[in-house]
Amino acid sequence: MSIGSATGAVRRSTTIPVHRVLPRFVKDPVNALAEVGRQAEGRVVRLDLGLFRPYLVTHPDHVQQVLKTNWTNYRREGMFWRPLRRMLGASILGEGTPWESSRKILQPLFTRRYVASLAEDMATTIDLRIRELDAFARSGRPVDAAEEMAGIVNQAVIKVLFGDRISREDGERLAPAYDAAATSINFRLLMPFMPYSVRVPGDRAFMKAVQTVDDVLFPVIRKARADSGDSLDVISALCRARGEDGAELADRQIRDDLVSVYGAASESTAMTLTWLWPLLDAHPEVAARLYDEIDRVVGAGPATPEHVPQLRYTRMVLQELLRLYPAGWLFPRMAMEPAEIGGVRVKAGSQVLISPYATHRLDEFWERPLEFDPERFASEGQERRHKYSYFPFGGGPHQCLGQHLFYVEAPLLVAAILSRFRPAVVTPGPFTPSPAASLRPKEKIELSIVPIRHGRGEAA
Ligand code: HEM
């Protein structure tokens, strides 16, 4: 393997010695990729992995060019997206006409105003689910952070998508199926050139997960269609929606969009919030300010949507969390026509890798980029920043639909937990990001759940 970077002026490759990155690529591919970006100082880098030779694009100007200015030339096609299509179908996470029509139908359901109308139910769901942590607080048994975050987020997202139309039992079958799909897809993502005629590790588990999701969703869709009423939940809205031709959406389209939105919404939020706990553990001064804000604003709870705008420091912590651990850490595109990015010629059919994880770590655009410091998001500094130096939610026409939902759901969840407990990390770090569809820690992060006594605001 060799890695070359090309400069705009001369369009020739310089080589970053492989021995500096190869051992790390095997052990910790996510940080190795970021390290390649850092060494290239924002220049376009070509990764030469034999059959697979993608371009790594990290400079904010270049990211903007790919995601926004010239977005029609860089499509979500090719070897990375193909494995996901087997789960997602033709949906909002695709391209072309199916994507366009899904985007038109879904966008109004995730505006700030629409999310506000769903927030009360979401807050109640989160609060009820967090009460279940009492049992762990009493017994002193630790919880698995990733599992717990996924359990809470799953219920909140299911409430938004399905209202009361799905049983708790069926809802709880979705998360493990997605989890199985997200982990079993690793081999395909790392070996994207492997043909589908060749069975690879993980394929069987992946297809079983697709079957479980279908078994849960199709009956729920058929029931919702029979009585879509005027409920606000997303499945009811999709059952009432009409396509360009004025006809109802097919069951398959509703399934594909629900699967895609569920996948985009739950795994990303849960994994983001999993990384919060080791960061707070390592930064007691940030944790203390966060506890203080939540104590002041929410007290003993429950946390409600009215609290969210007052949780300003909580939002800064979440913004910085998404800088260091953007769940959508890598999203590839395929160049449809020959193009030039930062002076480097890119042939049609090439894969272009966009990685907020790498861009968010560039010294050229961030002071002390590897440090966790929520203060960066105190409003002043933000205005001076290049728009594409920070893009945890992507950008351009494919920009994430779920930002407003995230910034209501995540503060509610963090405030609901911290108004009752002080979770403490009990497993030793460091925790390494693993290259799954969403950025997740390779090692288990266990938390002990310590209850707090309100009144004097002290840990019990
Ligand atoms: C921490 C939370 C989240 C992160 C980091 C995140 C990140 C992203 C990113 C990077 C993209 C762009 C992908 C691309 O350009 O190929 C994206 C797209 C998308 N996200 Fe999110 N997301 C999050 C939460 C959510 C939530 C809560 C929803 C729920 C609605 C959601 C729904 C979507 C959808 C539907 C798209 C595709 C939009 C399109 O292509 O038109 N996301 N997300």
Side-chain angles (χ1 to χ4, degrees):
M1 180 178 76
S2 74
I3 294 169
S5 76
T7 60
V10 291
R11 289 198 190 103
R12 83 188 148 77
S13 293
T14 53
T15 303
I16 297 172
V18 171
H19 66 264
R20 290 226 303 262
V21 288
L22 186 58
R24 205 139 178 231
F25 245 106
V26 175
K27 218 174 128 211
D28 181 0
V30 177
N31 280 311
L33 192 78
E35 197 47 44
V36 169
R38 280 166 61 77
Q39 286 181 19
E41 299 172 344
R43 284 167 297 159
V44 174
V45 176
R46 186 145 206 200
L47 305 178
D48 188 347
L49 304 162
L51 284 174
F52 185 47
R53 303 182 70 215
Y55 293 89
L56 175 65
V57 169
T58 55
H59 191 292
D61 284 347
H62 306 157
V63 172
Q64 180 163 10
Q65 187 182 332
V66 171
L67 294 184
K68 189 168 179 215
T69 327
N70 200 9
W71 72 281
T72 49
N73 192 43
Y74 300 99
R75 290 167 66 102
R76 293 196 291 211
E77 277 177 21
M79 300 185 284
F80 273 108
W81 289 97
R82 219 172 45 190
L84 291 170
R85 293 269 144 82
R86 296 197 298 175
M87 171 64 102
L88 306 175
S91 72
I92 182 74
L93 290 178
E95 279 291 2
T97 314
W99 163 73
E100 226 172 293
S101 83
S102 291
R103 179 108 195 166
K104 255 190 219 143
I105 290 164
L106 288 170
Q107 199 149 16
L109 305 177
F110 293 99
T111 58
R112 197 186 300 273
R113 185 188 283 190
Y114 201 89
V115 168
S117 71
L118 301 168
E120 203 70 55
D121 272 356
M122 196 158 57
T124 312
T125 306
I126 290 172
D127 186 63
L128 282 175
R129 178 62 179 71
I130 279 169
R131 282 166 200 258
E132 293 177 19
L133 289 177
D134 277 331
F136 291 92
R138 276 196 304 272
S139 71
R141 254 183 315 131
V143 299
D144 177 330
E147 231 173 61
E148 209 50 41
M149 294 305 110
I152 304 165
V153 168
N154 187 44
Q155 300 242 309
V157 171
I158 282 185
K159 189 76 186 172
V160 168
L161 294 187
F162 300 101
D164 296 321
R165 293 180 179 280
I166 193 168
S167 67
R168 177 159 178 171
E169 190 191 42
D170 269 350
E172 284 176 354
R173 287 170 70 198
L174 288 178
Y178 270 82
D179 216 38
T183 43
S184 60
I185 206 172
N186 274 358
F187 194 96
R188 290 266 172 215
L189 291 176
L190 290 173
M191 302 278 169
F193 39 80
M194 195 65 91
Y196 280 92
S197 50
V198 178
R199 175 71 64 88
V200 302
D203 271 358
R204 188 194 293 268
F206 188 86
M207 293 318 289
K208 193 166 159 231
V210 173
Q211 189 61 52
T212 305
V213 167
D214 286 354
D215 289 348
V216 170
L217 287 191
F218 278 118
V220 178
I221 294 168
R222 281 195 285 272
K223 252 169 85 191
R225 194 191 285 289
D227 169 28
S228 60
D230 55 5
S231 322
L232 293 171
D233 54 80
V234 171
I235 191 171
S236 304
L238 289 176
C239 288
R240 290 191 298 267
R242 295 285 182 273
E244 300 274 275
D245 55 359
E248 286 186 356
L249 309 182
D251 284 2
R252 169 57 60 176
Q253 184 180 345
I254 296 181
R255 176 264 179 223
D256 288 352
D257 277 334
L258 284 172
V259 168
S260 299
V261 174
Y262 177 90
S266 50
E267 168 85 359
S268 55
T269 307
M271 286 312 128
T272 303
L273 292 171
T274 301
W275 289 106
L276 175 65
W277 310 108
L279 283 176
L280 290 184
D281 198 58
H283 297 87
E285 70 298 346
V286 174
R289 263 186 85 182
L290 185 65
Y291 299 161
D292 184 56
E293 177 175 88
I294 290 168
D295 252 7
R296 223 170 354 92
V297 175
V298 180
T304 66
E306 290 72 48
H307 292 134
V308 172
Q310 299 169 60
L311 295 171
R312 288 203 51 244
Y313 189 69
T314 308
R315 188 182 169 98
M316 284 160 58
V317 169
L318 292 169
Q319 286 171 306
E320 176 68 344
L321 175 63
L322 281 168
R323 186 184 71 80
L324 280 180
Y325 295 100
W329 68 284
L330 186 74
F331 38 100
R333 297 289 197 261
M334 184 196 270
M336 307 314 289
E337 303 283 338
E340 198 178 294
I341 308 174
V344 174
R345 265 191 227 109
V346 173
K347 279 199 209 141
S350 306
Q351 289 282 325
V352 172
L353 305 179
I354 300 286
S355 171
Y357 190 92
T359 300
H360 295 175
R361 281 168 169 71
L362 291 180
D363 287 311
E364 290 69 24
F365 299 93
W366 295 93
E367 262 175 47
R368 302 165 286 108
L370 305 183
E371 268 176 45
F372 178 65
D373 177 11
E375 249 350 275
R376 308 173 195 277
F377 290 94
S379 56
E380 231 173 86
Q382 295 197 56
E383 287 131 32
R384 292 195 301 269
R385 199 170 294 136
H386 191 306
K387 188 159 184 277
Y388 282 82
S389 61
Y390 180 69
F391 61 107
F393 295 104
H398 282 300
Q399 178 151 40
C400 180
L401 272 188
Q403 278 184 78
H404 299 307
L405 187 61
F406 177 80
Y407 279 118
V408 174
E409 180 187 6
L412 281 174
L413 195 155
V414 172
I417 293 181
L418 293 180
S419 61
R420 290 162 160 267
F421 308 107
R422 293 284 179 265
V425 176
V426 292
T427 31
F431 302 103
T432 328
S434 96
S438 273
L439 199 66
R440 52 170 63 215
K442 203 189 280 174
E443 302 81 10
K444 200 188 258 199
I445 300 176
E446 288 195 318
L447 304 175
S448 83
I449 302 296
V450 183
I452 51 171
R453 206 187 303 135
H454 280 278
R456 288 184 299 148
E458 290 162 5

